[in-house]
Amino acid sequence: MHRFTLRLADLATTWFAVSPIHEAALSLRMWTHPGVYHLQTRAFEQLSPTFERLDSRLLLSLVAENRFVPDFLTPRPTSPSPEFRSEIATVRAFPPEQLRAELEQTFLSHGQPLPAALAAGLARPERLLARIADTLEEYWEVCLAPTWWPQARAVLEADLVYRARLLAHHGAAALFADLDHRLHWENGVLSISRNWTDGDVETPVDGRGLVLCPTFFVRGAITMISNDRAPQISYPARGQAGLAGRGTPVPPQAVAALVGAPKARLLALLAEPASTTDLAFRLGVTPGAVSQHLSVLAATGLVTRARHGRSVLYRRSPLGDELTGAGTN
């Protein structure tokens, strides 16, 4: 059990972040443990030919048999919406003299040998670190950034809008309870089950803030391997099924007759926050077409808008819920 002790001031400085480098590093699990994160299988199968042209041997070596990834590859975000360039710079700035200890903690402390691709490079840790950063950046640029990340980011940002609403309406206890079944909040202590250490670990937040990151590539809430890192928790993002393939709920015929089929399909999708890009992908149409329909729905009060970072997220309003029947018991 890992326990984070939060005073009132610490609770006030708990915040959420969408981290591209977390998704890049954790998504390497898709290649080493296929089928575990099945909602992403289809998307990553399409990326496979591109991935195989990279230094895949090095990338695959970064994931342990138990799916652990070295902590230095998932640095704590410094803002709610960091850019990949700033985060990969943090990885490059990791002290090379600490690289061996970091890798040994990931592999040796859990009964696994260091992969040959990493062990051989430790004779020149600064060169190995640069090679890891270069290869991870290339993986991001050619595999994830072009098509996968814009859709993924929309889902992750929608998760944050949902969490903010939950916190505002029901408080911290409901927020933590809803994040994941592994988390438990009681008397100022947030506990997370962890099966990679013996005994309990206590981490006072002590004014450093607790960062919460939604991700596609965990099956339950996790924290860092090291007990010495600044406090952060990754948890399974909501709405992942929307990225697994196109599709939309079938709207009631009466709603389609009233507002038209395209707007009715949008209303059916907007039970959870979504961006124009995400909606266009799921409907198989252009973002421009979606934007026109959303403008009408927003003007009539059937959807609401909220900005997160660079994205505008839409959600069905209470009036929209009533129209679609979602507001009835």
Side-chain angles (χ1 to χ4, degrees), residues 52-169:
E52 291 172 357
R53 293 196 293 269
L54 305 177
D55 188 353
S56 56
R57 180 170 177 262
L58 178 62
L59 291 171
L60 296 177
S61 74
L62 295 170
V63 184
E65 291 179 7
N66 54 8
R67 304 197 302 275
F68 284 9
V69 175
D71 284 345
F72 78 95
L73 293 178
T74 54
R76 185 169 122 136
T78 57
S79 70
S81 300
E83 295 285 348
F84 181 85
R85 285 178 295 177
S86 66
E87 293 193 303
I88 196 66
T90 301
V91 173
R92 293 185 187 280
F94 184 76
E97 64 274 13
Q98 297 179 22
L99 187 58
R100 177 181 291 274
E102 187 87 355
L103 295 175
E104 288 180 348
Q105 184 176 48
T106 304
F107 294 93
L108 300 187
S109 61
H110 303 286
Q112 302 172 48
L114 277 180
L118 300 177
L122 283 174
R124 297 285 301 275
E126 68 286 349
R127 182 175 295 180
L128 176 60
L129 179 62
R131 184 181 165 209
I132 290 172
D134 287 346
T135 307
L136 187 62
E137 184 170 19
E138 185 182 19
Y139 170 60
W140 170 261
E141 290 179 348
V142 303
C143 275
L144 302 182
T147 58
W148 183 83
W149 176 241
Q151 299 156 13
R153 182 176 62 195
V155 174
L156 297 174
E157 290 178 341
D159 177 281
L160 267 56
V161 171
Y162 168 82
R163 305 299 174 188
R165 186 186 307 111
L166 185 63
L167 177 62
H169 290 179

Side-chain angles (χ1 to χ4, degrees), residues 154-223:
V155 174
L156 297 174
E157 290 178 341
D159 177 281
L160 267 56
V161 171
Y162 168 82
R163 305 299 174 188
R165 186 186 307 111
L166 185 63
L167 177 62
H169 290 179
H170 302 288
L175 170 68
F176 290 132
D178 191 68
L179 286 178
D180 187 63
H181 68 279
R182 294 182 186 177
L183 294 174
H184 180 66
W185 168 254
E186 186 176 11
N187 297 327
V189 176
L190 181 63
S191 302
I192 176 173
S193 302
R194 49 187 284 176
N195 57 8
W196 60 91
T197 58
D198 295 327
D200 294 342
V201 176
E202 305 285 342
T203 300
V205 175
D206 279 344
R208 294 175 293 173
L210 173 65
V211 182
L212 303 168
C213 299
T215 176
F216 289 94
F217 306 107
V218 297
R219 300 185 68 177
I222 62 170
T223 186

Side-chain angles (χ1 to χ4, degrees), residues 5-26:
T5 304
L6 293 96
R7 299 169 301 178
L8 181 60
D10 295 321
L11 189 61
T13 57
T14 295
W15 49 284
F16 288 83
V18 170
S19 168
I21 205 164
H22 280 214
E23 296 308 279
L26 295 178

